[in-house]
Amino acid sequence: MRAFVGEFKEQAEKVTHDLRHRELIQSALRKYEATRDKTKAAFQDWERARQGAAETKWTAINHLDKHLVEFTDKLAARGTKVHWASTGQQARDIILGIVRDKKARSIIKSKAMTAEEIHLNEALEEAGFEVVESDLGEFIVQLRKEAPYHIVFPAMHLTRGDISELFVRELGSAPTQNPEDLTMIARRVLRQKYVTADVGITGANFAVAETGMISITENEGNARLTAALPKVMISLLGIEKILPRLEDLALFLPMLATAGTGQPLTCYNSLYGGPRQPGESDGPEEFHVVLLDNRRTELLADAEQRDALHCIRCGACLNVCPIFRNVGGHTYGTTYSGPIGSVITPHLRGLQDWKHLSYASSLCGACTETCPVKINLHHHLLQNRRNAAREKPAFGEKLAFKLFTLVVNRPGLYTFAKKAARLLQKFHPLVKGTRLDPAYEWTKTRELPPIAPQTFKEYWNQKGVSKIEG
Ligand code: SF4
């Protein structure tokens, strides 16, 4: 058994039995659903909005080469330094090169899942830089030395009590369960960090090709401070973040907010098109944009699953997924969890090592139904399963299908097997749930459905209307 699948199974079992955790997540998501539904109802036609968003992303991704050139040319014309990174390692090296060149000591960061994907914090800290996350949820999980739990709500698995204890331990603050007081404690620490940081690192929600601008949407104003106060700003983004036109934001900003948090619009929506221009009074002196591929072009080459690049990282598919709601975000062991993580992680990190995530689904289709850009998520999970089996068939499955083919192609053998199965079924309770049980993997948590006392053919022939042969 490969390590990743073993860890996933072990962790999933542990978390699923943690009733406190389940109650916490379920109650948070129930509140999210109620707010999201109210906000969705304010759209004139949510389904048409989804269709429009899916078509816009289709155009963006299918003409990515053209849009990326337009985007970077416009950025460069205003003095932005554009960097291309084929791999996570290259992106880390580029960013390390910039911060070393600037002789920076401390770095302030706003939320960027792409940075999590390439393990940027670890690389910067190993190189001796102080990195502080400025998004409140990210700040909390950074203090806990944990990865974000969810792509939109990084600390949703924690109660106010957990956060209070953490702040007492790590920041020496007085205990409190008042959310405003907790926010003020973090704010006092963070304000100081903004002032002293030499470099600010952000992600991006969208990259507007037409104007050469990155769009950042947030609720705390921390990304604005990260971009405005340090002299050097670095934005790290995946190449799939492209939107062709500025006016596309009129749809995508409310859609991201609605699907992501249930808000009509997030509190702060900013556009960055370059460093401080002559005559401007604020903004960074230097602006670097790092465009990350990290196997996204391989996904682009896959016509069947290319639409996974339409993802706007709203997190809605995680929120409705019955598996995510039970096993929680950390169990996946990946940057991107839930249905979208299960679809793209095998592409980003290797199909054979991560194929098990495509089985962590009930295939109920709730993810596909909720996705604002209409990614066919549950079908992609099936395609990942098929691709993994085609590339490297499991010995047990191969043998089982060979036996099955052998039996069903021989009517006499099939009739004998049916009779034998019905007979053996009577003795099944004696071994059920033990290692002697041939269906152990199934029966340790579920009931084995009984074999029907009569097949359809037997039933039909008994009715005497006509006879089914064979
Ligand atoms: S796949 Fe769809 S629902 Fe899931 S995070 Fe991406 S855009 Fe949101």
Side-chain angles (χ1 to χ4, degrees), residues 85-307:
S86 298
T87 61
Q89 181 63 51
Q90 272 184 18
R92 288 195 297 270
D93 291 345
I94 291 167
I95 294 171
L96 272 167
I98 299 168
V99 293
R100 281 194 183 117
D101 188 43
K102 295 291 130 197
K103 301 197 172 23
R105 284 183 313 279
S106 69
I107 296 159
I108 189 96
K109 233 178 114 260
S110 74
K111 192 165 173 297
M113 290 311 287
T114 326
E116 298 288 338
E117 178 186 325
I118 64 163
H119 306 292
L120 182 61
N121 283 11
E122 291 87 329
L124 288 166
E125 281 165 359
E126 262 171 39
F129 299 101
E130 185 201 29
V131 191
V132 180
E133 292 287 349
S134 60
D135 171 272
L136 181 58
E138 291 273 345
F139 177 67
I140 291 167
V141 291
Q142 187 186 29
L143 285 179
R144 285 171 61 93
K145 300 185 180 41
E146 264 180 7
Y149 181 91
H150 182 289
I151 57 180
V152 174
F153 312 117
M156 78 181 293
H157 58 307
L158 302 173
T159 62
R160 288 178 219 165
D162 296 331
I163 298 166
S164 172
E165 272 173 35
L166 176 75
F167 284 1
V168 170
R169 194 172 68 237
E170 298 293 328
L171 306 175
S173 60
T176 171
Q177 299 225 3
N178 181 320
E180 273 145 39
D181 291 344
L182 289 168
T183 311
M184 289 311 292
I185 294 167
R187 182 186 160 109
R188 272 195 292 278
V189 175
L190 289 170
R191 287 285 147 136
Q192 201 51 39
K193 300 288 180 190
Y194 287 118
V195 179
T196 52
D198 306 296
V199 173
I201 299 181
T202 75
N205 295 97
F206 303 105
V208 183
E210 181 187 38
T211 54
M213 288 172 170
I214 66 160
S215 159
I216 301 182
T217 158
E218 44 143 356
N219 277 316
E220 297 166 17
N222 62 302
R224 285 161 74 103
L225 288 173
T226 302
L229 293 177
K231 287 187 176 159
V232 180
M233 172 180 174
I234 304 172
S235 294
L236 170 69
L237 53 144
I239 53 173
E240 83 286 5
K241 294 282 175 181
I242 286 285
L243 282 182
R245 295 155 308 177
L246 188 62
E247 68 182 51
D248 295 328
L249 290 178
L251 172 61
F252 278 86
L253 292 181
M255 189 158 235
L256 175 59
T258 304
T261 56
Q263 293 169 281
L265 208 54
T266 46
C267 299
Y268 301 96
N269 292 285
S270 313
L271 285 162
Y272 300 94
R276 185 187 305 183
Q277 301 295 299
E280 286 182 352
S281 56
D282 57 10
E285 289 170 12
E286 242 181 63
F287 182 33
H288 297 260
V289 167
V290 183
L291 285 154
L292 178 71
D293 178 346
N294 210 20
R295 293 178 134 181
R296 284 163 173 78
T297 41
E298 283 174 36
L299 187 51
L300 185 66
D302 181 343
E304 200 173 51
Q305 296 201 20
R306 183 179 298 155
D307 69 340

Side-chain angles (χ1 to χ4, degrees), residues 116 166 338 387 451 468:
E116 298 288 338
L166 176 75
N387 295 344
I451 299 168
I468 301 176

